[in-house]
Amino acid sequence: MRTILLWMARNPWLRDRVPRLAFVRRAVRRFMPGEDVADALKAADALMASGQGILFTRLGENLTSIAEADVVAAHYHDVLDEGRSRDRPIEISVKPTQLGLDIDREATFAHCDRLATHAAEVGSWFWLDMEGSPYVDPTIELYERLRATHDNVGICLQAYLRRTAVDVRRLLAIRPAIRLVKGAYDEPAAIAYRRKAEVDASYQTVAVAIAEAARDGNARLGLGTHDVELVRRIATFAEAAGVPREKLEVHMLYGIRAPELRRLQKEGFPAFTLVAYGEFWYPWYMRRLAERPANVIFALRQILP
Ligand SMILES: Cc1cc2nc3c(=O)[nH]c(=O)nc-3n(C[C@H](O)[C@H](O)[C@H](O)COP(=O)(O)OP(=O)(O)OC[C@H]3O[C@@H](n4cnc5c(N)ncnc54)[C@H](O)[C@@H]3O)c2cc1C
């Protein structure tokens, strides 16, 4: 089921047609407050009022012209300005291909550089999402370049990739901010762990290593997962190593396990919700269904009156 859903996520014919189906549009509301930034801001305000940090991501990937990247960057500058009027800044999390990584790496770097500068001015952070495996090297290179001149930049790394432990060791030298996720793409066994037990073990090892660096003020760690049991296991190991709980941020996606995130927040873990919005939600939504095929039943139920 996961493989089929991830194939559907990549299929251009389905990408053009499925988002027009009313029942799918209703189902996507579970993970997305709406297509407009105004919908995302409304959801963010409610979450911020409860003390959560917020990350924004505008959905869309793999642009065809660099002019489209200019529009995306302008949008994120507006989001950073919006954050000024709030008690806490809105952090932004961007796919490098949305800023033109496939087309022009220098232009992409220039956009990231300006966004990171603007984020610093408003006390916010600029995060790079991680996409499929062909993008890992260029995204890490982009991050290293940005990190050379910015303190407020973070990168997402995927625990299912066999290379990630080595990438983390290399990045720890530059005092990184890392959001660790399990990984959402369909990667071959040659480069990725495929069994949940292996992915979880990789996640735990890498997370504890970053947590120890965070304890010494040499990293920021975001546990980007809804796997609360795994968060608790990591917390046990990290706390034994003297890592204070406030160094173990938990980042979850809007609409998924929100009560569990609130519980962790009450226990002293800094909690962040990543709010996604925008018109181009189809591949992103299909990846969410692939993570938990039971969500397909929820989507199909939307056909009923
Ligand atoms: C803040 C954040 C940012 C992310 N950024 C990226 C990124 O840049 N690149 C990338 O490749 N991936 C990204 N991801 C997705 C990630 O890689 C996983 O695909 C996703 O988080 C599912 O794995 P899990 O860690 O929640 O663990 P799982 O083992 O898949 O799930 C743990 C439990 O969480 C619940 N759960 C998980 N997913 C869902 C869902 N969709 N619906 C309902 N319940 C669910 C289930 O109850 C499940 O038992 C991000 C995830 C988060 C939370």
Side-chain angles (χ1 to χ4, degrees):
M1 176 73 109
R2 181 171 186 268
T3 307
I4 293 169
L5 289 165
L6 290 175
W7 171 81
M8 289 173 74
R10 294 191 301 271
N11 186 288
W13 190 87
L14 291 171
R15 191 172 55 218
D16 286 345
R17 285 159 184 84
V18 173
R20 292 188 217 148
L21 301 172
F23 84 94
V24 180
R25 298 179 74 82
R26 277 200 297 278
V28 78
R29 280 299 183 122
R30 184 176 175 187
F31 300 118
M32 207 179 79
E35 292 189 355
D36 296 335
V37 69
D39 302 315
L41 286 166
K42 207 164 139 201
D45 284 339
L47 291 164
M48 270 191 198
S50 69
Q52 285 191 20
I54 296 293
L55 294 129
F56 264 24
T57 200
R58 186 187 188 215
L59 299 171
E61 24 205 305
N62 301 70
L63 307 180
T64 49
S65 84
I66 201 69
E68 292 173 70
D70 299 344
V71 174
V72 173
H75 171 81
Y76 281 112
H77 283 291
D78 288 346
V79 167
L80 289 169
D81 281 331
E82 247 329 303
R84 266 183 219 268
S85 59
R86 289 169 165 78
D87 294 343
R88 261 178 102 156
I90 296 170
E91 302 188 13
I92 55 174
S93 196
V94 184
K95 284 191 172 30
T97 57
Q98 261 191 295
L99 291 176
L101 192 68
D102 282 326
I103 305 165
D104 182 338
R105 289 196 185 173
E106 275 313 305
T108 305
F109 172 75
H111 274 312
C112 294
D113 188 44
R114 283 193 291 272
L115 283 166
T117 303
H118 190 173
E121 281 162 15
V122 300
S124 177
W125 283 68
F126 172 79
W127 292 86
L128 291 171
D129 284 349
M130 189 58 80
E131 301 171 78
S133 54
Y135 295 108
V136 175
D137 279 323
T139 303
I140 291 180
E141 276 163 33
L142 184 58
Y143 181 67
E144 287 174 326
R145 255 183 102 183
L146 289 168
R147 183 68 189 88
T149 48
H150 298 282
D151 287 334
N152 62 320
V153 287
I155 184 170
C156 177
L157 293 180
Q158 299 153 325
Y160 66 6
L161 292 183
R162 295 176 190 273
R163 59 176 286 171
T164 293
V166 177
D167 290 335
V168 165
R169 221 173 297 139
R170 168 168 146 197
L171 287 175
L172 284 179
I174 58 168
R175 302 174 65 241
I178 295 175
R179 178 213 300 145
L180 187 64
V181 301
K182 291 191 186 179
Y185 297 81
D186 195 18
E187 302 291 359
I191 60 164
Y193 301 112
R194 307 269 302 181
R195 289 184 24 242
K196 177 173 161 55
E198 288 177 323
V199 177
D200 289 0
S202 160
Y203 193 106
Q204 183 169 325
T205 307
V206 170
V208 172
I210 308 168
E212 286 175 358
R215 171 198 62 202
D216 303 332
N218 292 326
R220 176 178 172 191
L221 169 62
L223 298 168
T225 181
H226 313 101
D227 193 337
V228 176
E229 296 72 28
L230 179 59
V231 169
R232 291 198 185 287
R233 279 205 299 281
I234 291 164
T236 305
F237 278 94
E239 280 164 14
V243 182
R245 203 164 262 196
E246 64 265 21
K247 298 285 184 190
L248 302 176
E249 295 176 14
V250 183
H251 297 193
M252 290 195 187
L253 301 176
Y254 176 87
I256 303 180
R257 299 200 117 178
E260 279 86 348
L261 183 61
R262 281 197 295 276
R263 204 166 304 136
L264 289 169
Q265 186 189 356
K266 281 203 188 105
E267 292 172 24
F269 295 89
F272 285 73
T273 295
L274 188 149
V275 182
Y277 56 93
E279 285 168 63
F280 301 105
W281 44 261
Y282 170 74
W284 177 88
Y285 176 58
M286 296 311 283
R287 288 199 292 275
R288 299 293 80 78
L289 294 186
E291 280 154 14
R292 192 160 179 263
N295 288 334
V296 175
I297 310 231
F298 174 84
L300 291 173
R301 275 211 205 110
Q302 305 302 310
I303 303 179
L304 301 172

